[in-house]
Amino acid sequence: MTSDYKFPHQLREVIVNALPEDTSRHGNEPELRFTYLPATHAKALRPESMLVVGIRGSGKSFWWSALQKPEHRETVGKDIGLNRNTKVSTGFGERPQPDDYPGKDTLTRLLVEFEARSIWRTVVLKQIGGGRLPEEFNSLNRWKDRIGWLKENPEPVEQFFYQVDNELESRQTYHLVLFDALDRTADDWKTMNQLIRGLLQTVLDFRSSHRIRLKMFVRPDQIEDPEVAAFPDSSKMLSQKTELYWPRIELYGLLWQHLANEATLGIFREGCEKLTSVKWRNTEGVWVVPEKLRTDESMQRRVFHAMTGPWMGRDRRRGFPYTWLPNHLGDTRNQVSPRSFLAALRHAASEKERSEQPFALHYENIKRGVQEASKIRVREMQEDYPWVQTLFEPLSGISVPCHADEIKRIWKEHNVLNGLEHSIAAAAVRLPPEHIHVGSEGVLADLASLGLIERLSADRINIPDVYRVGYGIGRRGGVKPAAR
């Protein structure tokens, strides 16, 4: 893959066209040609994996949506034990579907009268039952009445689940009920913890079934509170969680999947074959990433550096693009969101071409891409936890690592915590910091649990680039903060 046949300019066009402009392609509406199953995700998507954990942008909503589509299950099914005939229902999701599951306000009202486990068992009953449930249940239109019926009829409900499970076993197929976007179940941690605990209990109830499978997608912070695990045998669930983790090698595999299936030009595949002698194959209209390009890091590096050049500056002291990019997009758990990775590369390709640029992606434009990915990550954090912006805004202009006392001093000078407590008391803050009652140390602990800050030795604080840059915080020798 060299600069032959105006290659750099053409490849920039391929990157821009292939990668999602709004970063939502790896979200709610997956296209089959861009569906890539990392080896690290196969276990998480198997029916027996009922608790799936992933950071924001790791693919939870992507797989929640993809598993509902027969053609996607057909494509990835041989690796995860599912197929086109697998029945799939939704138990909760980002988009309101009141006929399938109660929404946030309804859940809040239901919790006044019912325990969370009964609510979720009723949702599962409705999804599994279809039209086979007794008419007295099917005639009920309100979730309150349905839950009441379930509580009054425990033995028929248990018998029904048992019969359905046996029928599915005889047909050697599964019925999955999927739960995603659980942060949309409540506006406060106490209520959300209560609902997640009840759902975990419900998932545990079905752990011994053969073919009825519940699968819940959650973020790490949603299951870390001790309150969530406050039920018998919770360790059986939490110890068997599987993670949607994206190691570097899989991020590049995902990139190849997008570039190879860009509709208008085949130059990426041609360039790969010329550079590596690896052949691509097309299966039902989708170009499949060759095994060597998925598993051989030295080959991946060669392909990517043919697009970027070998260094992140004028010499090797500045680092190597293949490792530099994911290293600067990881959170404190060293996890990289594929959404951030693709966004950084698309923005880099969209930047104005430089006169001295012999490669498709100039290293300075890759740095701009990281700035853009960081801004996107900050916007996402604002959507999930608006109070984070309140804490980070007065820190703009400082440099990290810094001592924790410096951050506490700035918060005190700007009266940040007092203002935040007043907003929380007025119910104006959604999912506020859980430990603000402890003061600045409690808030720092909350930020650490979200992967936003890292506690170093000597009580110093570090902030990973994927957040630092977007919040306007400096670091000596690091990527410059984004303009605000």
Side-chain angles (χ1 to χ4, degrees):
M1 208 184 308
T2 66
S3 58
D4 297 342
Y5 46 85
K6 298 180 182 178
F7 181 79
H9 175 76
Q10 288 181 315
L11 186 55
R12 285 164 64 87
E13 183 182 340
V14 169
I15 295 169
V16 171
N17 291 339
L19 303 187
E21 182 175 4
D22 60 1
T23 74
S24 65
R25 182 179 296 160
H26 218 73
N28 297 326
E29 293 297 330
E31 287 188 58
L32 188 59
R33 63 192 172 119
F34 297 124
T35 298
Y36 176 82
L37 177 64
T40 49
H41 288 206
K43 180 183 176 183
L45 298 181
R46 293 188 68 82
E48 57 267 25
S49 296
M50 302 173 81
L51 176 60
V52 181
V53 182
I55 63 171
R56 173 76 184 254
S58 63
K60 297 185 300 297
S61 295
F62 179 90
W63 291 121
W64 180 87
S65 183
L67 288 174
Q68 296 175 52
K69 299 178 182 298
E71 62 274 19
H72 288 70
R73 293 198 301 274
E74 188 78 25
T75 298
V76 302
K78 65 180 183 299
D79 295 313
I80 63 174
L82 303 176
N83 57 42
R84 183 178 287 270
N85 297 323
T86 304
K87 288 205 69 174
V88 180
S89 304
T90 55
F92 196 83
E94 183 174 356
R95 183 173 174 268
Q97 297 182 44
D99 288 339
D100 291 331
Y101 46 80
K104 178 177 66 177
D105 294 337
T106 304
L107 285 168
T108 301
R109 292 293 299 272
L110 291 172
L111 281 173
V112 175
E113 190 171 345
F114 303 105
E115 59 180 15
R117 175 175 171 268
S118 297
I119 297 172
W120 294 123
R121 277 181 68 84
T122 306
V123 171
V124 175
L125 179 66
K126 189 173 188 302
Q127 295 305 318
I128 295 294
R132 297 183 297 174
L133 288 164
E135 180 56 34
E136 57 184 309
F137 180 88
N138 287 331
S139 64
L140 302 174
N141 295 317
R142 298 195 308 168
W143 283 104
K144 175 182 177 179
D145 297 330
R146 292 167 181 156
I147 300 165
W149 185 92
L150 175 134
K151 288 185 68 66
E152 289 297 318
N153 295 275
E155 191 171 347
V157 169
E158 290 174 6
Q159 188 65 31
F160 179 78
F161 283 137
Y162 177 75
Q163 290 173 350
V164 171
D165 195 46
N166 284 340
E167 290 172 14
L168 291 166
E169 175 74 1
S170 67
R171 298 201 305 270
Q172 293 292 291
T173 191
Y174 290 95
H175 191 145
L176 302 183
V177 185
L178 308 176
F179 298 83
D180 184 40
L182 294 171
D183 58 308
R184 304 302 175 100
T185 59
D187 285 333
D188 64 276
W189 283 99
K190 182 179 179 181
T191 303
M192 189 175 74
N193 288 343
Q194 195 175 347
L195 287 164
I196 291 178
R197 182 175 65 243
L199 182 53
L200 283 169
Q201 289 176 289
T202 307
V203 172
L204 182 61
D205 290 342
F206 286 90
R207 188 164 166 262
S208 59
S209 68
H210 297 295
R211 295 285 172 167
I212 297 175
R213 285 286 184 261
L214 278 53
K215 189 180 289 290
M216 57 186 292
F217 295 93
V218 299
R219 293 202 298 266
D221 57 288
Q222 292 175 323
I223 57 171
E224 289 174 350
D225 194 298
E227 201 177 312
V228 170
F231 64 92
D233 292 329
S234 60
S235 60
K236 291 181 180 178
M237 280 300 307
L238 297 175
S239 65
Q240 293 190 8
K241 69 179 183 291
T242 52
E243 293 193 25
L244 294 180
Y245 178 62
W246 285 87
R248 181 172 62 210
I249 202 165
E250 300 290 11
L251 291 168
Y252 284 101
L254 175 67
L255 175 62
W256 309 153
Q257 182 78 34
H258 280 73
L259 299 185
N261 285 281
E262 198 279 318
T264 56
L265 294 169
I267 63 167
F268 173 75
R269 297 190 307 275
E270 294 170 10
C272 277
E273 290 188 6
K274 184 176 180 181
L275 186 68
T276 67
S277 301
V278 171
K279 300 296 182 184
W280 291 76
R281 63 181 174 85
N282 190 294
T283 302
E284 297 182 3
V286 176
W287 290 100
V288 179
V289 181
E291 187 67 16
K292 276 201 167 185
L293 280 175
R294 290 181 60 124
T295 60
D296 187 331
E297 281 206 316
S298 62
M299 185 174 289
Q300 285 191 342
R301 181 190 292 255
R302 201 185 330 156
V303 171
F304 192 60
H305 285 181
M307 300 161 61
T308 64
W311 304 315
M312 282 301 298
R314 298 186 182 278
D315 55 48
R316 62 188 299 120
R317 290 177 298 176
R318 296 295 183 181
F320 309 98
Y322 178 78
T323 52
W324 187 95
L325 180 59
N327 284 350
H328 284 76
L329 292 174
D331 64 8
T332 58
R333 299 180 178 94
N334 293 319
Q335 294 204 34
V336 180
S337 153
R339 190 179 300 170
S340 299
F341 183 74
L342 297 182
L345 286 165
R346 189 187 192 280
H347 188 81
S350 303
E351 282 276 307
K352 184 178 179 181
E353 195 165 354
R354 295 165 181 266
S355 57
E356 79 282 11
Q357 185 169 338
F359 298 98
L361 298 174
H362 193 278
Y363 56 82
E364 289 295 344
N365 291 347
I366 294 174
K367 293 176 184 177
R368 302 278 190 279
V370 167
Q371 290 179 332
E372 184 62 25
S374 182
K375 288 194 286 187
I376 292 170
R377 199 77 173 145
V378 164
R379 286 199 297 270
E380 291 175 344
M381 188 58 64
Q382 178 72 8
E383 292 172 12
D384 293 338
Y385 305 107
W387 50 270
V388 170
Q389 184 76 23
T390 304
L391 294 170
F392 273 96
E393 207 156 49
L395 303 180
S396 178
I398 70 167
S399 290
V400 292
C402 67
H403 199 278
D405 286 345
E406 183 177 353
I407 292 175
K408 294 174 185 178
R409 177 185 60 77
I410 293 171
W411 284 345
K412 187 174 183 179
E413 282 181 3
H414 289 80
N415 203 30
V416 171
L417 298 193
N418 285 338
L420 193 52
E421 284 178 326
H422 288 312
S423 298
I424 293 169
V429 178
R430 178 176 175 271
L431 295 177
E434 282 190 273
H435 302 99
I436 192 169
H437 60 280
V438 182
S440 55
E441 271 300 317
V443 173
L444 286 172
D446 290 327
L447 293 175
S449 74
L450 293 175
L452 282 157
I453 69 167
E454 181 181 15
R455 305 297 294 258
L456 304 177
S457 60
D459 204 21
R460 292 177 304 146
I461 301 289
N462 190 33
I463 302 173
D465 284 359
V466 72
Y467 295 115
R468 175 188 67 76
V469 173
Y471 282 118
I473 295 170
R475 179 183 177 88
R476 186 176 180 183
V479 179
K480 291 180 180 179
R484 309 189 75 201

